[in-house]
Amino acid sequence: MDFDKNKILIVDDEEDLCEILQFNLNNAGYFTDIAHSAEETLKKPLYSYDLFLLDVMMGSMSGFRLAEKLKHEFRITAPVIFLTAKDTENDILTGFSLGADDYIAKPFSINELIARVKAVLKRSGTKQKKITDVLKVNNIELDDVRKQVLIDNEKIDFTKKEFEIFKLLLENIGIVFSREDILHRIWGGDIVVTDRTVDVNITRIRNKIGIYGPSLKNKTGYGYFFEF
């Protein structure tokens, strides 16, 4: 994965549409992630995304309500584009009043959507300006200033390397990192360590994070990733 790419979260309960959007946005040079509900969205590493594509009509929590939580409760600064079949004036005004950066009515062309995504990202800047150093995912809180991790409000004692590995995986949920990639990012090129060093640290992290241990997974032949 190219970490200079903008990261987009697609939130829609239509799985087929999500797959189509993901395929085309990936081909357009973006990195994308998918959630099929507002509740699933709130378990994602919200501060890692540079743009949110939100469907309005979803289950128990609408896209409007989700956007309100993102902007006011989580203080997310990344832009929001609403995707919806509702295109009345009142709905559009509601969307913009909640801080939306654009509003695309269904059905829409993929080329139009990509053009609008590009325009919104250009207006907002290439990367999200984070206003918090605390990464919250589910009941996990990673404080990058205090260099500490809380799970269910209980402090977990990590070594420096364990903390850095866990931070890397938690910020990039679902992304597989090879042992070599982890060694390069965490230890750098000046210190000679083996792949086994990564395995040992991963095992220690798994043991320390309790019920979330199974979420730290290994993809045989590829590497490690974190996924609920």
Side-chain angles (χ1 to χ4, degrees), residues 176-221:
V176 179
F177 291 87
S178 68
R179 291 173 176 83
E180 292 77 11
D181 199 6
I182 293 174
L183 285 172
H184 175 74
R185 292 174 181 278
I186 305 304
W187 278 269
D190 296 331
I191 300 176
V192 178
V193 290
T194 67
D195 290 355
R196 178 61 181 161
T197 303
V198 174
D199 297 335
V200 169
N201 278 271
I202 290 291
T203 299
R204 289 174 179 167
I205 294 170
R206 278 203 188 105
N207 291 334
K208 290 181 179 182
I209 60 179
I211 62 171
Y212 293 105
S215 295
L216 207 172
K217 303 176 182 179
N218 172 253
K219 192 173 184 67
T220 305

Side-chain angles (χ1 to χ4, degrees), residues 3-70:
F3 286 85
D4 291 328
K5 289 183 179 181
N6 287 113
K7 298 174 66 175
I8 299 172
L9 180 62
I10 304 164
V11 185
D12 199 303
D13 55 8
E14 297 181 48
E15 294 185 14
D16 290 344
L17 178 59
C18 286
E19 291 178 3
I20 292 170
L21 293 176
Q22 183 172 49
F23 176 81
N24 285 279
L25 286 168
N26 286 349
N27 283 345
Y30 301 104
F31 171 75
T32 58
D33 196 3
I34 290 175
H36 296 302
S37 68
E39 292 78 9
E40 185 181 348
T41 299
L42 297 176
K43 296 178 181 179
K44 297 285 188 180
L46 299 175
Y47 302 104
S48 70
Y49 298 109
D50 302 301
L51 184 143
F52 293 83
L53 292 177
L54 305 183
D55 181 33
V56 170
M57 303 296 290
M58 294 187 296
S60 58
M61 186 188 300
S62 71
F64 285 154
R65 175 66 181 132
L66 175 59
E68 186 176 26
K69 287 180 72 68
L70 293 177

